[in-house]
Amino acid sequence: MAHLLHIDSSARGEGSASRRLSAEYVAAWKSRNPHGTVTYRDLTTDTPGFVSTDWITGVFGPAETANASTEAAVAASEHLIREMEEADVIVLGVPMYNFGVPATFKAWIDRVVMAGRTFAFGENGPEGLLKGKKAVVLRASGSDFDNPDFAPMDFHAPYIRGVLGWIGITDVEIIAVNGYTPEQLDIAVRRAGATIGASVAAA
Ligand SMILES: Cc1cc2nc3c(=O)[nH]c(=O)nc-3n(C[C@H](O)[C@H](O)[C@H](O)COP(=O)(O)O)c2cc1C
């Protein structure tokens, strides 16, 4: 049975374009996969802890320094990594904040990019371990980063592609909308509906 992991990271609830888009994607996916299952995580209300001394000690050792706090920090990562491992499709609603991703999303990335679990250094160099998955990023921004005036400041899409690729998720589709006003964003979200439909149909 197909399984989808749905993650949102906009600090806005009502009125969030990335939340509208990710919800639309998941609804379309559910229509095509009526027996499919979905796990939902909201990084704004359920924000992973930042990388901490406990986490670093728990992950990198030495083993004799392990204690209840270091084990809890690693267990929190394990939980998030298992959510990814169980998913065939990962749908990420990610607004642009200050030319990159929201800090809540970065906190999640810092918890799931873990040596020995989601990537490893093998004989042929670094290897991502989360293979065979598709990620779809629903992104909202104010400015249009297809515009060459803004494009050099787009650290959002290259970062997400790079870091997901590092852990083995190389099939990454980014569906982006932009607008400075709620009305502009609303039009852009409606227009993106066709792209979402085509993406779900092709998956
Ligand atoms: C803290 C913050 C920083 C932002 N930084 C940028 C930015 O660097 N570039 C940009 O084009 N839009 C920026 N925006 C605008 C948002 O990307 C835009 O409002 C988008 O619709 C937010 O996604 P959401 O509708 O899902 O909440 C920023 C908004 C906020 C709240």
Side-chain angles (χ1 to χ4, degrees):
M1 198 164 33
H3 184 66
L4 182 151
L5 173 62
H6 176 192
I7 293 184
D8 276 324
S9 58
S10 169
R12 289 202 289 182
E14 195 82 355
S16 157
S18 63
R19 282 179 189 271
R20 260 178 79 187
L21 291 168
S22 69
E24 194 175 326
Y25 194 100
V26 174
W29 185 88
K30 277 289 284 175
S31 301
R32 275 189 82 89
N33 298 274
H35 300 295
T37 51
V38 176
T39 297
Y40 181 66
R41 178 167 290 282
D42 188 335
L43 298 177
T44 296
T45 53
D46 190 7
T47 308
F50 294 157
V51 169
S52 61
T53 308
D54 279 338
W55 185 86
I56 290 174
T57 307
V59 172
F60 298 103
E64 56 271 22
T65 57
N67 57 43
S69 301
T70 64
E71 281 165 12
V74 176
S77 269
E78 266 299 324
H79 185 78
L80 297 176
I81 290 169
R82 287 214 191 104
E83 281 183 354
M84 297 185 88
E85 287 175 333
E86 286 162 7
D88 306 292
V89 184
I90 301 172
V91 174
L92 303 166
V94 192
M96 176 183 280
Y97 286 170
N98 300 313
F99 307 104
V101 298
T104 52
F105 186 82
K106 179 62 164 56
W108 177 75
I109 287 287
D110 285 343
R111 287 286 179 150
V112 298
V113 178
M114 194 160 117
R117 288 294 287 112
T118 53
F119 74 94
F121 288 100
E123 283 177 9
N124 301 318
E127 187 192 357
L129 302 179
L130 294 182
K131 295 209 169 81
K133 302 181 189 303
K134 178 180 174 71
V136 183
V137 179
L138 292 310
R139 140 171 160 168
S141 61
S143 303
D144 174 7
F145 287 83
D146 286 334
N147 179 333
D149 289 341
F150 292 104
M153 291 297 281
D154 183 358
F155 301 103
H156 179 284
Y159 172 70
I160 293 179
R161 282 191 194 285
V163 76
L164 291 182
W166 178 257
I167 58 174
I169 304 172
T170 50
D171 182 359
V172 180
E173 179 178 11
I174 299 183
I175 299 173
V177 300
N178 67 279
Y180 292 119
T181 66
E183 293 73 23
Q184 288 171 345
L185 270 175
D186 183 54
I187 291 167
V189 167
R190 285 168 197 268
R191 282 200 187 123
T195 312
I196 288 173
S199 170
V200 172

